[in-house]
């Protein structure tokens, strides 16, 4: 498999597994312990790695979430707790989820190793969230935690690449969301308010942006040797089945 083929095939697996911990009830309980809402924890837990920045900066980095919705979550959180502390709590929950849910998955240590090689080889240019998260220290050395953190990082790499590709396609983030599989419902979930622009002419552009995303991410998978791309896909598929079964 070529690196671009590995990127395209791994993308849905990485996107699903890389955010699975954020929907865990224990993760949501961490928000209450910090004294903030689940939405504030999601926004600040994800973007807090950037440090003490303004909501406008966070909205630009996240891209696909409406700026007003970003500001609601970010400003509510920073009044209570420093953003980097929320990011640290989010990272701790990712490690906890990984140790619990991936620790007994098939060949987790090998999965973590392959993922980390891809993460380390990835180009973070133009992807501030990915670069900030890659710089965050990880204290949990267990295979499950390492795999979960690498999935989180690779997910942010895909998200950052997609944002660049969408803009290169001449689309706004809102248009990309509307042209996606969830349409208006996806836009509403991301905090965008109607009326929405028509999506018919946008679908072809979104498909082009998806292909460009794979091209932008593919250098990360050049770090894998012959046959290791296919091995990674098999391990990711096994991990997803394990998580869903659990």
């Amino acid at each position: 498999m070529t690196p671009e083929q590995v990127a395209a095939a791994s993308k849905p697996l990485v996107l699903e597994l890389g955010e699975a911990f954020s929907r865990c009830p224990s993760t949501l309980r961490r928000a209450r312990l910090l004294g903030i809402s689940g939405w504030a924890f999601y926004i600040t837990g994800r973007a807090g790695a950037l440090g003490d920045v303004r909501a406008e900066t966070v909205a630009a980095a996240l891209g696909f979430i409406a700026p007003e919705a970003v500001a609601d979550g970010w400003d509510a959180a920073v009044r209570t707790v420093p953003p980097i502390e929320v990011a640290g709590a989010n990272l701790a929950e990712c490690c906890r989820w990984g140790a619990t849910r991936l620790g007994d998955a098939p060949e987790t240590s090998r999965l973590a190793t392959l993922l980390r090689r891809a993460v380390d080889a990835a180009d973070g240019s133009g992807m501030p969230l990915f670069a900030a998260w890659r710089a965050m220290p990880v204290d949990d050395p267990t295979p499950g935690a390492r795999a979960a953190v690498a999935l989180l990082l690779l997910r942010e790499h895909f998200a950052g690449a997609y944002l660049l590709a969408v803009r290169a396609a001449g689309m706004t983030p809102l248009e990309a969301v509307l042209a996606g599989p969830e349409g208006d419902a996806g836009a509403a979930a991301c905090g965008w308010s109607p009326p929405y622009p028509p999506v018919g002419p946008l679908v072809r552009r979104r498909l082009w942006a998806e292909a460009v995303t794979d091209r932008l991410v593919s250098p990360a998978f050049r770090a894998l040797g012959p046959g290791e791309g296919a091995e990674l896909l098999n391990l990711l598929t096994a991990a997803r089945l394990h998580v869903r079964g659990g």
Side-chain angles (χ1 to χ4, degrees):
M1 298 182 71
T2 67
E4 194 167 329
Q5 288 172 328
V6 176
S10 67
K11 181 165 55 181
L13 297 163
V14 169
L15 294 180
E16 178 179 335
L17 290 169
E19 68 172 1
F21 81 94
S22 67
R23 298 189 297 271
C24 178
S26 295
T27 302
L28 300 177
R29 282 196 294 270
R30 177 63 73 98
R32 292 196 292 271
L33 292 174
L34 290 173
I36 58 179
S37 70
W39 179 249
F41 184 82
Y42 173 77
I43 293 295
T44 314
R46 188 175 167 200
L50 296 170
D52 189 12
V53 298
R54 295 182 180 275
E56 292 85 355
T57 303
V58 176
L62 292 174
F64 297 103
I65 301 176
E68 296 82 2
V70 170
D72 286 345
W74 182 263
D75 292 340
V78 300
R79 287 194 294 266
T80 303
V81 59
I84 195 66
E85 185 176 330
V86 183
N90 195 48
L91 182 60
E93 288 302 316
C94 179
C95 290
R96 177 203 55 75
W97 180 88
T100 302
R101 300 299 299 276
L102 294 176
D104 58 348
E107 299 187 69
T108 300
S109 182
R110 178 62 173 166
L111 172 63
T113 296
L114 294 177
L115 287 170
R116 190 68 217 191
R117 278 165 52 191
V119 166
D120 289 342
D123 184 355
S125 302
M127 305 180 191
L129 269 182
F130 168 70
W133 272 106
R134 188 164 59 176
M136 291 277 287
V138 180
D139 296 328
D140 192 333
T142 61
R146 290 190 296 111
V149 172
L151 285 164
L152 181 156
L153 290 168
L154 204 52
R155 178 183 178 276
E156 289 295 353
H157 189 49
F158 271 112
Y162 185 50
L163 182 57
L164 292 175
V166 162
R167 300 315 312 273
M171 302 172 69
T172 67
L174 170 58
E175 288 173 336
V177 173
L178 288 170
E182 296 182 358
D184 289 5
C190 290
W192 300 97
S193 300
Y196 301 128
V199 300
L202 302 174
V203 174
R204 185 170 295 179
R205 289 189 183 187
R206 186 187 68 82
L207 293 175
W208 181 87
E210 292 278 3
V212 172
T213 300
D214 299 336
R215 200 170 306 133
L216 290 172
V217 174
S218 64
F221 296 105
R222 292 176 190 164
L224 304 182
E228 289 183 333
E231 180 187 3
L232 175 61
L233 290 174
N234 288 334
L235 292 175
L236 286 170
T237 301
R240 181 171 67 175
L241 290 172
H242 182 81
V243 169
R244 286 181 173 182

